[in-house]
Amino acid sequence: MAATIWYENDGDLSVLNGKKVAILGYGSQGHAHALNLRDSGVDVVVGLRPSSKSVEYAKEQGLEVKPIEEAVAEADVVMILLPDQHQARVYKEQVEPNLKPGAALAFAHGFNIHYGYIKPSEDHPVFMVAPKGPGHIVRREYAAGRGVPVVVAVEQDPRGDAWAITLAYAKALGALRAGAIKTTFKEETETDLFGEQDVLMGGVNHLVECGFEVLTEAGYQPEIAYFEVCHELKMLVDLMNEGGLNKARWSCSDTAQYGDFTSTVVDESTKDRMRHQLKRIQDGSFAKEFMDDQAAGAPKFKELQEKFSHEKIEEVGPKLRAMFSWNNGPAADADEAESFNGKIARTQVQE
């Protein structure tokens, strides 16, 4: 069955006329949502802790900033753009007690709603607008007159207007210029976690690390191993992004293609392990493990961060990356540099 996709003419910004939208958090997504909605004519307030470093950053952009409780109390739509592990606590302590009757709750990821860590009462519309790109790209594309695609969903629709609000929000974000794909909180959450764990992060990262270790253990120079298993990956992913797997394969040599077709590294047993991981996502056991660890102060998470930050490939990587001028200096993407190195990235987890 073909996906339902909405575009620019399907959203009506007037739905948000006379409504106040509170954006909770001013990290990667928070700054993009707040600025794009503001520039689309929406009445926006940013909700932050008074001690947050992001307060001044948001004010510098001409945004109204208030403590979370005050922002929520006056809002008709509350978009929660906080890290997954903090949302339930903030909702219980600062959002729920101050939420106006019938105010809509919005999310950019379905984790807390799908797994039941946040359970709004039935009188609140609950919807999702999830950009398929980082916040600095969402903002950059909006400013350029374009947009980043989103996936959208409605979990609760007590008045029958939740979809109208969802599409109006997506239009104000600039997303309908590219398209909004209809999904559900369940589908978005489970597929997002699966993609992260088994292909994008838990797949690619570990594949690169294993390839580097196999080559260096066999006596090959670390610098050469890095180029072959890590550096060239970007080229391949860029080709996939441009034209799918077929363009990536077509662009490579016959030797590379034949090796691709005959490789046995990723096979049916890999899919079996993926299915196991998918079951853990579907039954909530992964979510529980993550949230329990976070509630205990994240000891396992911190241990793993420390462990994987010292992989052998990271000993040679910085030296080789410095060789490529496009990774350094003014030619680098300024927006990406700010997001990764600057004030937004440093504060988003704390909001």
Side-chain angles (χ1 to χ4, degrees), residues 2 9 13 53 63 86 116 121 132 135 146 174 176 243 246 276 283 287 297 303 318:
N9 291 334
L13 281 177
K53 294 180 180 179
L63 291 162
H86 301 312
S121 61
K132 303 314 291 179
R146 300 184 294 264
L176 295 190
N246 284 337
H276 170 73
D283 66 20
E303 178 186 343

Side-chain angles (χ1 to χ4, degrees), residues 29 39 42 44 57 109 150 186 198 205 207 227 248 259 292 341:
Q29 287 295 331
D39 290 351
V42 178
V44 173
Y57 304 146
H109 181 36
V150 293
K186 171 183 169 63
D198 297 305
N205 283 354
L207 196 62
F227 280 132
D292 287 350
N341 297 315

Side-chain angles (χ1 to χ4, degrees), residues 181-200:
I181 302 174
K182 184 180 181 181
T183 187
T184 64
F185 274 66
K186 171 183 169 63
E187 182 177 61
E188 186 276 337
T189 302
E190 294 178 356
T191 57
D192 183 76
L193 293 177
F194 177 82
E196 291 170 350
Q197 294 176 25
D198 297 305
V199 179
L200 305 177

Side-chain angles (χ1 to χ4, degrees), residues 30-50:
H31 90 284
H33 285 237
L35 293 172
N36 289 10
L37 264 65
R38 189 272 311 275
D39 290 351
S40 293
V42 178
D43 186 9
V44 173
V45 59
V46 176
L48 294 169
R49 292 178 294 105

Side-chain angles (χ1 to χ4, degrees), residues 8 10 15 34 40 66 84 129 154 165 196 224 238 265 351:
E8 192 75 353
D10 297 311
V15 170
S40 293
K66 293 187 177 181
D84 290 331
V129 177
V154 167
I165 297 173
E196 291 170 350
I224 302 301
D238 285 345
V265 171
E351 304 313 332

Side-chain angles (χ1 to χ4, degrees), residues 10 56 88 96 101 120 127 140 146-147 156 159 168 209 227 260:
D10 297 311
E56 290 306 313
E96 189 173 33
F127 70 91
R140 186 188 73 190
R146 300 184 294 264
Q156 292 184 179
R159 299 187 301 264
E209 290 166 357
F227 280 132
D260 173 3

Side-chain angles (χ1 to χ4, degrees), residues 169-306:
Y169 188 103
K171 182 168 185 172
L173 190 62
L176 295 190
R177 299 169 181 173
I181 302 174
K182 184 180 181 181
T183 187
T184 64
F185 274 66
K186 171 183 169 63
E187 182 177 61
E188 186 276 337
T189 302
E190 294 178 356
T191 57
D192 183 76
L193 293 177
F194 177 82
E196 291 170 350
Q197 294 176 25
D198 297 305
V199 179
L200 305 177
M201 300 292 290
V204 171
N205 283 354
H206 292 302
L207 196 62
V208 168
E209 290 166 357
C210 286
F212 179 84
E213 289 172 4
V214 167
L215 286 177
T216 54
E217 288 168 1
Y220 298 102
Q221 297 180 80
E223 292 81 2
I224 302 301
Y226 181 90
F227 280 132
E228 297 304 331
V229 304
C230 185
H231 173 73
E232 293 187 15
L233 183 62
K234 183 181 185 304
M235 173 198 70
L236 196 64
V237 172
D238 285 345
L239 289 168
M240 290 180 191
N241 187 55
E242 292 170 9
L245 296 180
N246 284 337
K247 181 169 184 177
R249 284 173 168 143
W250 172 82
S251 301
C252 295
S253 69
D254 290 350
T255 311
Q257 286 188 58
Y258 189 80
D260 173 3
F261 300 146
T262 59
S263 173
T264 59
V265 171
V266 178
D267 58 15
E268 283 299 315
S269 64
T270 308
K271 289 174 67 175
D272 287 339
R273 292 190 293 275
M274 285 182 165
R275 293 184 184 104
H276 170 73
Q277 289 298 107
L278 180 58
K279 287 180 180 177
R280 295 191 68 242
I281 292 168
Q282 291 171 329
D283 66 20
S285 57
F286 166 78
K288 185 177 187 304
E289 178 183 324
F290 171 71
M291 294 295 275
D292 287 350
D293 183 62
Q294 290 290 318
K300 183 175 181 180
F301 180 63
K302 292 174 182 176
E303 178 186 343
L304 292 171
Q305 278 189 319
E306 175 66 17

